[in-house]
Each structure stands twice: as structure tokens, then as C-alpha cells.
Amino acid sequence: MCGIYSPEMDVSRVMFFTLYALQHRGQEGAGISVANEQGLQTHTGLGLAANVFDEEALGALRGHAAIGHVRYSTTGSNMLQNAQPLCAEHSSGPIALGHNGNLVNAVELREQLAACGVQFAGTTDSEVIVKLIAARPEDDIVEAVAATMEQIRGAYSLVILTPDRLLAVRDPWGVRPLWIGRINAKDYLVASEDCAFAAVGATALREVEPGEIVTIDRDGMHSLQAVPLQRKAVCIFEFVYIARPDSHIYGRSVYMARRRMGNLLAQQAPADADVVIGVPLTGIPAGIGYAEVSKIPYGEGLIQNRYIFRTFIQPDQRMRELGVRMKLSPLREALRGRRVVVVDDSIVRGTSKRQLVPLLKDAGAREVHVRIASPPQRYPCFYGVDTCDRSQLIAARMSVPEIREHLGATSLEYLSLRNLVEAIGVSREHFCRACLDNRYPIEIPQDIRITKFDLE
Ligand code: SF4
């Protein structure tokens, strides 16, 4: 998710490059809205940014400001109507919105809006947000957004575009990251992660604060603490696998945190082995970190097909299984006859890990010691990560020894929560870690909670 305010630049092209840098956050749909003298213009489509936009589409999007979005579905199916930015008409004029996160009271709000005659084109909670803003009586869009923030609950980082303003908004817990950067003396960029700034020659200024609305217009940047800060609760899995390693959160390097996770994992769960390999791509920094402390040489044992995207965020189980087989290829020469430590970021359903161990053994590995750089995920996420319901989470159904057996691994160990937090170097109170310890920082309504807590 990203935005730009720059009367000088080719804003749609800058958004395209920024989306490219943020493609890891979602691959199901992409879109850009631009603001110009005619109002707002939007182009969306299904698939990767490079599939959705060609020269003609970008050339048609001219303006002085823009927002962009790549979609990763947590609510709503993968249909074109759910691709973002989503547009609506407020009394002050048109608005376009991009949303990262997940609301916990969207069903209730949707019913209230529908009862007032509001119609929905798609099935997402993001559409509920844009329709709520559009329905607000406040004439000023910033006031309308601030009032909407009082109504919605859950995880939301937003970019909102009007014909003359760009807004960057973060929920009062700050669950999903959102950055502001500067692209030259007077122009600003916003992006989910600061790794996107380097791609377009921008420099990071700061993160949007929880509960804050940052407005950018022809007079510069303005800040409003729209709703009081709750306890900060950044998703700890941004550090584990969601964010790109060259991004920063809380001023901490994601790459260095992952490497340190590997360091602490080696201390906590040593293995007698000949080589350490990291599962591409997110497991590699932790693998390097494990090798550093264990003094076991690090080697390349798995080659990734670069053109297959992350299996975890493929929308259904069949695609996930196909994706795993196409994604990784073992390097026989590095594995044959050796005792291997394989380090990965996490195990969610266990689908890919179940295929991984036989893959390594078939390639000649004598032993396969699996080391996971995060604790077992036993509880579902309601804040924007599609970690399925509890019945599908392997660690909710099986003990660690049972998972080891299920995977066929010689040994299996997970990083402890204490070591995960120490690796990042920020107090555990500043994170959402609910999928690990069942403590949800934003209360989940009971009717929503049971949808993902049924173990039958
Ligand atoms: Fe992140 Fe887990 Fe919290 Fe979801 S429940 S926001 S995945 S830490």
C-alpha cells in the first residue's frame, strides 16, 4: 500500500515502482488511483502489479497525487470488485482508499450501513471503511475519517486520496506498519514499508503513529492525533516473515532481527550437523544467524524458482501444495550424505514443511534437523494475516514431537517467545503476539471469535 503527493512527478509510474517493491505483501490484485483536475481516476486488476499495469494503463493515469495497493485477501474472495483502491463519493467529493489489515467489527458495521440503504459491490471490510467515510456528515474529509476511526475496530493502515489531499492513517494499536518518506524538498511518499522508498529515490522520514492521520496537500504535511493511542501492538510476524528484510519497524532492522533469531535459536536448540541451510527467502537470514553461533558451515541447499511467489499467501490449499513443489528444488551436491539443519521462519499449516523434509532426504540428506525461528502458532489471526482457523493450524492440533513425526524430521525445535522478543530488541508489550499466546490486544467479538476457534 502506498501513496504520493507530487505535482512534479509522474505519480502513477512512481506508484507502480513502489507497488513492485511491496509486491511481497500481496499478489492477488493491484490498483492505482490518481488525483487530477477531473477528480479521481482508478485502474485495478487481478494478479501482480506487472500484470495489471502496462504502458497504456500507466500513461492514462496522470495527476498530482496517487495511491496504490496490492491485495492479499483476508476477508472477501479474490474477485475484481475486491481489488483496491476502492472508491466512494463523500459530500466533499470523491475518495479512493487502500487498506492493509482487518477489522473485527466489519460484519456489524456492514449490516448497519445496509440497513440505511448503502449498497456494496464487493465483500471486503475495506469497502465497509470507505462507505462509512462516505456516509459521514462532516464536510471536511479529515474530520470524516477521524469520526470513522471512532466506529471501526481492528487493524487498519489506510491510504486515502481526494482530489486535493493524500491521507495516511493508522489504527490506534499500529498493528500494520506505515511509513512516510520524502521524495524531494516538497514532495512526500507513504508506504507500508520503508524498503519501498529506496526503489524510487525517496528517504524515510518516520512511521505514522498509532491513531494518527497524516495529511499531505499543497501546503505540506499536517498531523492529527485523531484517536488516542492504545497500547502499541505491531504484528510480531512483520519481523518474522511478512516484511521485507531491508525494512525497518520501531527503528529496528528486520534483517538483523531475523539473523539474531537464528543466533538465539542456535543457542537454544543446538544440533549435531554438517551444514545449515535456510529456506528461501525468509528463512535465509535466520539460517545464517544459526550457522554463525553454531559454527556449522552455512550452505545453499535449496534453490528457489524466483518466479513463484510465497506459498503461504496463495489463496487455497491445492494452489499452496502445487506452489511448494514448484518453488523449491534441492541442491543434491550440497546435501548428499550430510546431516542438515534446515532453518525456516514459521510453520502455519505444515503443508510446505511436510514436503520439505522428504525433498531433502530424497536428495541424499542423512539427517534433517528442522529449526523454526518463531514459536508454534496455536491461535488464529483476526488482524490481517490469513493464518486460517484453529483446526488448520498444525500446532493447535499436535504437540511438537507429533509435528516432528508428521514432518519426518530427525529433530524439530521452535524459537521461544522470549528469544523472539529478545532478537527484535523491543519490549514484548509493544507487539501483537496473539497467534502465539492467545492474548488479543483488540477485543474480538464472540461471534467472530468462534468462526476461527472451532477445533472440530
Ligand atoms: Fe500478527 Fe499473529 Fe497478531 Fe495476527 S495474531 S497480527 S499474525 S501477531
Side-chain angles (χ1 to χ4, degrees), residues 159-189:
V159 284
I160 299 170
L161 187 68
T162 75
D164 56 5
R165 282 190 270 190
L166 166 66
L167 274 57
V169 182
R170 205 165 169 206
D171 69 66
W173 291 266
V175 178
R176 299 282 150 225
L178 189 58
W179 274 88
I180 312 163
R182 193 147 211 169
I183 203 158
N184 57 38
K186 53 185 186 341
D187 298 334
Y188 293 91
L189 198 67

Side-chain angles (χ1 to χ4, degrees), residues 41-52:
Q41 235 184 303
T42 298
H43 180 97
T44 58
L46 296 178
L48 304 176
N51 301 129
V52 173

Side-chain angles (χ1 to χ4, degrees), residues 175-176 235-237 380-383 385 387 432-435 440:
V175 178
R176 299 282 150 225
C235 167
I236 204 162
F237 275 85
C381 176
F382 296 90
Y383 307 141
V385 175
T387 49
C432 172
R433 42 184 206 277
C435 51
Y440 290 87

Side-chain angles (χ1 to χ4, degrees), residues 237-257:
F237 275 85
E238 291 283 347
F239 275 101
V240 175
Y241 64 79
I242 300 173
R244 241 172 62 167
D246 49 340
S247 289
H248 298 79
I249 303 167
Y250 284 144
R252 298 289 194 282
S253 152
V254 170
Y255 176 81
M256 290 312 296

Side-chain angles (χ1 to χ4, degrees), residues 182-203:
R182 193 147 211 169
I183 203 158
N184 57 38
K186 53 185 186 341
D187 298 334
Y188 293 91
L189 198 67
V190 295
S192 294
E193 295 177 37
D194 61 331
C195 69
F197 294 149
V200 293
T203 48

